[in-house]
Amino acid sequence: MTATTTLRNTPVLTRASDWANKHRKWVLAAPAIIFVLALMVLPLAYTMVLSFTDAQGSIQRAFDFVWLDNYVSILTDTTRFWPAVWRTLIFTVVAVSLEMTLGMAVALLMRKPFMGRRAVRVAMLLPLVATPVAVAMMWLLIFEPTIGFANQVLGWFGIAPQGWISDPATALPTLMLVDVWQWTPMVILILLAGLVGLPEEQQEAARIDGASNWQRFWHVTLPMLKSTIIAALLLRSIDAMKTFDLLYVTKGTGGGSSHEVETLNIYAYALSFDYNEYGMASALVLIYFLLIVAVLVVLTMRRKGAQR
């Protein structure tokens, strides 16, 4: 008997081999799982440690633990933090609501065959192809107050030029519309995929019973599509809350002293890279993270309820 055969026949190696073979799906996936967890847990743990300190300026200098002082300072800040929270929520709710409404309407239209449907689908995907920074730069030129195309169109109808992004009153609504333009196609694709997979028997039965188009949509299509709708709502809500590129490129770190489009993402960036308040920024990021997790939990619970 060779040494290799003896080694393989040892009880320890035999048990280990049997265990690995029995749990091979976890053994094979373990390296990827460990890698992903390391990418998530280590930065989150380091951010949590920094959030309890007065780290600022050079991160190499010694810092002291201030524990919950950063969280208290942020949560009691009514000048920038709470307005940023409301802007984040308003941006998310309004933009996602418009995207879901338009996405559903267009998906219902595109479900039916018509001439040039393939060309329309290709054109619909164009906003998704461009990077967020490129989209922001394009719309920044379109909304330019003096030579922008948007004000030229208004001039054709005798309407006075608008400030669009430069006006504090219209900056956030304007950027909501840009977000709707860019991400509605993704909602359309998700809802259209769900519509295509729906059975036609219920629709035919409702049509035979004399139900109108609206009644068939409200009482037949919508309930069967609820799981897909919640999935699209989940993806877009989380993504909209994290919007950074569009807001930063068009308005920098909040557009000066008015901070008219300063969401939590922009505020965290300003604390880190403009004011070098790394401890405060870390606390803000963790609060922001918990807010996103709360939204994720709520939407996930609704999705489970819809599936039941």
Side-chain angles (χ1 to χ4, degrees):
M1 184 178 294
T2 64
T4 304
T5 304
T6 303
L7 185 63
R8 288 178 178 174
N9 290 334
T10 57
V12 175
L13 291 179
T14 301
R15 288 196 298 269
S17 178
D18 292 341
W19 183 90
N21 186 56
K22 185 178 180 180
H23 301 88
R24 57 184 178 274
K25 63 179 181 180
W26 295 109
V27 173
L28 295 175
I33 294 174
I34 294 172
F35 180 72
V36 172
L37 288 177
L39 288 180
M40 294 175 59
V41 174
L42 293 180
L44 186 61
Y46 183 64
T47 302
M48 186 176 298
V49 172
L50 281 182
S51 71
F52 295 123
T53 70
D54 61 350
Q56 56 181 289
S58 174
I59 200 64
Q60 300 298 328
R61 78 169 184 85
F63 50 78
D64 299 320
F65 281 91
V66 295
W67 302 112
L68 296 178
D69 288 357
N70 290 330
Y71 292 92
V72 173
S73 298
I74 289 174
L75 294 175
T76 56
D77 178 13
T78 58
T79 304
R80 294 185 67 176
F81 172 73
W82 286 109
V85 171
W86 289 117
R87 289 189 200 98
T88 303
L89 295 177
I90 291 171
F91 182 92
T92 301
V93 171
V94 174
V96 174
S97 297
L98 290 174
E99 289 162 7
M100 295 299 297
T101 303
L102 293 174
M104 177 62 74
V106 176
L108 290 172
L109 291 175
M110 295 192 64
R111 184 186 184 185
K112 300 178 181 179
F114 58 89
M115 184 178 297
R117 183 169 63 169
R118 290 187 177 180
V120 172
R121 287 184 177 181
V122 172
M124 183 184 66
L125 294 175
L126 292 179
L128 296 177
V129 175
T131 62
V133 174
V135 169
M137 294 298 297
M138 178 187 72
W139 284 99
L140 192 62
L141 293 175
I142 292 175
F143 290 127
E144 209 281 329
T146 55
I147 61 173
F149 181 70
N151 278 338
Q152 290 184 15
V153 173
L154 293 181
W156 298 343
F157 299 95
I159 302 176
Q162 303 296 314
W164 300 110
I165 297 175
S166 60
D167 187 348
T170 58
L172 192 61
T174 299
L175 295 180
M176 291 178 191
L177 293 178
V178 175
D179 189 82
V180 170
W181 174 85
Q182 184 178 14
W183 295 110
T184 298
M186 189 187 80
V187 177
I188 295 173
L189 290 178
I190 297 174
L191 297 181
L192 185 59
L195 286 170
V196 170
L198 294 181
E200 291 291 336
E201 290 79 6
Q202 289 86 344
Q203 293 284 348
E204 290 297 330
R207 188 181 293 108
I208 293 174
D209 289 340
S212 63
N213 290 335
W214 172 254
Q215 289 173 329
R216 291 201 303 273
F217 168 74
W218 188 257
H219 296 289
V220 179
T221 303
L222 208 57
M224 291 193 298
L225 200 64
K226 185 177 294 185
S227 180
T228 304
I229 293 173
I230 294 178
L233 183 64
L234 174 66
L235 292 174
R236 275 307 303 141
S237 297
I238 301 302
D239 199 36
M241 289 187 69
K242 299 186 299 180
T243 300
F244 177 81
D245 314 69
L246 175 65
L247 302 176
Y248 182 77
V249 172
T250 53
K251 292 299 295 181
T253 55
S257 59
S258 59
H259 306 291
E260 61 266 19
V261 299
E262 186 177 72
T263 59
L264 288 174
N265 250 346
I266 301 296
Y267 185 30
Y269 180 90
L271 283 176
S272 298
F273 299 102
D274 290 344
Y275 308 125
N276 296 324
E277 294 282 353
Y278 301 120
M280 291 279 289
S282 298
L284 175 59
V285 167
L286 286 176
I287 294 173
Y288 190 24
F289 175 74
L290 293 177
L291 179 62
I292 294 177
V293 169
V295 174
L296 178 64
V297 169
V298 171
L299 294 178
T300 303
M301 290 174 61
R302 290 184 178 179
R303 184 179 182 184
K304 290 180 179 179
Q307 291 176 342
R308 291 175 186 174

